[in-house]
């Protein structure tokens, strides 16, 4: 699409290996030179994608960001090849991407209900630490022109903390993705943190307050609705996972909707809220995969999600590219009704 530049913000949800869908979305958006990214807010896998993109952009513009994301996800997939969490032969035969019948996954899930990560992983080993160190220059990230906001949850208070470019380290990203049943809390300045999805998945407010963009593109990973009643233990846990990681976003959207109703559209912060335009990129395909598939990072699955992300972003551009900078395509009232 040949058009004048549009300044946008990106809001990226977390969701384990399903973050490869977001990779595909970003890869497709970066094809369009008229997209100018002012800020990105990300949580968990969304924070990883955001940090890799921002650092890659600082190093080499859009091409640098695309190359950095490709390198990061290939590194994640290579590391996953050595994980005991693999699909069972039955899942492979049936073409399922979940780990629901994986012996290692079932054993790990059972142990997590009896033993804590302080028993099973007292040293806090996480293969992502080395991958992040190899993928991101945190000094360059601190000076990057794109504003970055990463959310993590304070364990002691249950409240969120938003980290900005100069504050972001490998520990901050690991904290934003720290599932408390799998990893010990990540300590930053003496404060323990868990996954940011419990309080903001992602946090949208700083995008409105601290960047000049008026359009926020929300990349959704976690389904908000399911027509069928979950009945099996796996289905129930999967739905609980989706509801819990969408609840913080729903609360923030309600707050934003209220602020827009009462905001003074004249000048200052009121004008920012009144002029905010919202957009969403999602895929119904993600709803077909259970929560356990978020731990499956084998390359075939990652590539499938990436390709779906590119397709979904392309469809969004074809349908709504002309609306960017002009009007919302995902009205907050609609988003609220689904949350």
């Amino acid at each position: 699409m040949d058009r004048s530049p549009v300044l946008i913000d990106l809001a990226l949800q977390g969701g384990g290996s399903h973050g490869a869908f977001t990779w595909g979305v970003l890869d497709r958006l970066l094809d369009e030179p008229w997209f100018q990214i002012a800020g990105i807010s990300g949580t968990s896998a969304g924070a990883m994608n955001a940090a890799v993109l921002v650092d890659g952009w600082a190093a080499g513009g859009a091409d640098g960001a695309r190359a950095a994301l490709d390198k990061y996800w290939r590194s994640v997939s290579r590391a996953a090849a050595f994980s005991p969490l693999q699909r069972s032969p039955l899942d492979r035969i049936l073409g399922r991407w979940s780990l629901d019948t994986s012996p290692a996954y079932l054993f790990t899930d059972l142990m997590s209900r009896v033993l804590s990560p302080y028993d099973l992983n007292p040293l806090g080993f996480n293969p992502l630490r080395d991958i992040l160190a190899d993928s991101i220059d945190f000094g360059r990230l601190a000076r990057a022109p794109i504003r970055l906001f990463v959310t993590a949850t304070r364990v002691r208070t249950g409240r969120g903390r938003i980290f900005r470019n100069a504050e972001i380290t490998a520990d901050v990203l690991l904290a934003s993705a720290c599932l408390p049943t799998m990893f010990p809390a990540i300590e930053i300045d003496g404060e323990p943190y868990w996954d940011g999805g419990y309080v903001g998945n992602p946090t949208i407010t700083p995008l409105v307050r601290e960047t000049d963009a008026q359009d926020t593109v929300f990349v959704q990973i976690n389904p908000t609705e399911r027509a069928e009643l979950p009945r099996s233990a796996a289905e129930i846990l999967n739905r609980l996972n989706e509801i819990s990681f969408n609840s913080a976003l729903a609360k923030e959207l309600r707050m934003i909707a209220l602020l827009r109703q009462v905001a003074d559209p004249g000048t200052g912060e009121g004008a920012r809220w009144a002029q905010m335009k919202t957009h969403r990129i999602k895929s119904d395909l993600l709803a077909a995969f259970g929560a356990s598939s978020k731990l499956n990072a084998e390359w075939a699955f990652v590539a499938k999600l990436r390709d779906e992300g590119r397709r979904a972003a392309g469809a969004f551009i074809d349908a709504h590219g002309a609306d960017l900078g002009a009007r919302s395509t995902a009205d907050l009232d609609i988003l609220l009704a689904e949350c």
Side-chain angles (χ1 to χ4, degrees):
M1 179 180 293
D2 184 17
R3 60 162 299 176
S4 58
V6 176
L7 197 62
I8 65 169
D9 287 328
L10 296 169
L12 311 180
Q13 272 199 327
S17 65
H18 289 194
F21 169 80
T22 302
W23 167 30
V25 170
L26 299 175
D27 191 68
R28 177 64 184 88
L29 295 181
L30 289 166
D31 283 343
E32 301 292 335
W34 56 276
F35 277 124
Q36 295 187 354
I37 304 171
I40 310 179
S41 178
T43 297
S44 193
M48 309 288 182
N49 277 319
V52 171
L53 184 154
V54 172
D55 179 54
W57 183 281
D63 289 341
R66 292 183 65 194
L69 285 164
D70 183 88
K71 175 186 175 182
Y72 169 77
W73 279 101
R74 288 182 185 275
S75 297
V76 169
S77 185
R78 282 195 296 270
F82 298 98
S83 169
L85 300 177
Q86 303 289 336
R87 286 188 295 161
S88 70
L90 177 62
D91 285 330
R92 294 178 186 274
I93 291 171
L94 296 178
R96 298 187 304 216
W97 296 106
S98 71
L99 303 178
D100 291 343
T101 62
S102 164
Y105 173 78
L106 293 172
F107 177 76
T108 301
D109 184 58
L110 177 63
M111 287 297 97
S112 70
R113 301 167 196 276
V114 180
L115 300 172
S116 84
Y118 295 91
D119 301 314
L120 300 172
N121 186 14
L123 298 179
F125 171 74
N126 190 327
L128 281 178
R129 183 179 295 279
D130 290 338
I131 293 173
L132 291 171
D134 183 57
S135 301
I136 300 172
D137 181 331
F138 288 97
R140 184 169 57 208
L141 183 70
R143 303 184 301 272
I146 298 175
R147 302 292 304 277
L148 179 58
F149 307 96
V150 171
T151 302
T153 303
R154 290 182 171 93
V155 178
R156 291 194 176 99
T157 65
R159 297 163 70 178
R161 175 178 171 183
I162 299 170
F163 297 85
R164 291 160 176 81
N165 295 58
E167 303 171 299
I168 294 171
T169 63
D171 276 342
V172 168
L173 295 176
L174 292 175
S176 183
C178 180
L179 292 173
T181 57
M182 296 186 66
F183 300 102
I186 303 294
E187 288 201 6
I188 301 170
D189 298 328
E191 183 79 22
Y193 290 90
W194 281 343
D195 194 299
Y198 297 113
V199 293
N201 194 19
T203 305
I204 298 176
T205 303
L207 294 174
V208 183
R209 287 180 167 172
E210 300 181 36
T211 80
D212 294 327
Q214 295 181 1
D215 290 74
T216 299
V217 180
F218 170 48
V219 183
Q220 181 177 344
I221 288 180
N222 295 308
T224 52
E225 292 187 359
R226 286 190 180 272
E228 300 296 326
L229 175 68
R231 296 184 181 275
S232 70
E235 290 171 344
I236 292 170
L237 288 173
N238 178 47
R239 190 61 186 141
L240 284 172
N241 177 283
E242 291 171 350
I243 291 171
S244 64
F245 280 105
N246 278 327
S247 62
L249 176 64
K251 290 179 182 178
E252 188 174 20
L253 289 175
R254 290 189 184 95
M255 180 198 72
I256 292 173
L258 290 172
L259 283 172
R260 290 183 67 188
Q261 290 176 8
V262 301
D264 180 356
T267 59
E269 187 166 315
R272 290 180 180 273
W273 293 108
Q275 296 168 6
M276 177 186 178
K277 304 173 189 68
T278 52
H279 314 273
R280 175 173 58 169
I281 300 175
K282 66 170 187 172
S283 170
D284 293 337
L285 179 65
L286 295 181
F289 307 126
S292 67
S293 68
K294 294 179 179 180
L295 299 176
N296 178 7
E298 61 182 281
W299 179 250
F301 186 46
V302 167
K304 180 181 181 69
L305 292 169
R306 175 204 60 196
D307 292 346
E308 176 62 13
R310 280 192 58 89
R311 185 209 63 77
F316 169 80
I317 292 170
D318 291 341
H320 301 299
D323 296 315
L324 271 290
R327 63 188 62 83
S328 290
T329 60
D331 187 78
L332 283 179
D333 291 337
I334 296 174
L335 293 176
L336 285 172
E338 295 183 355
C339 290

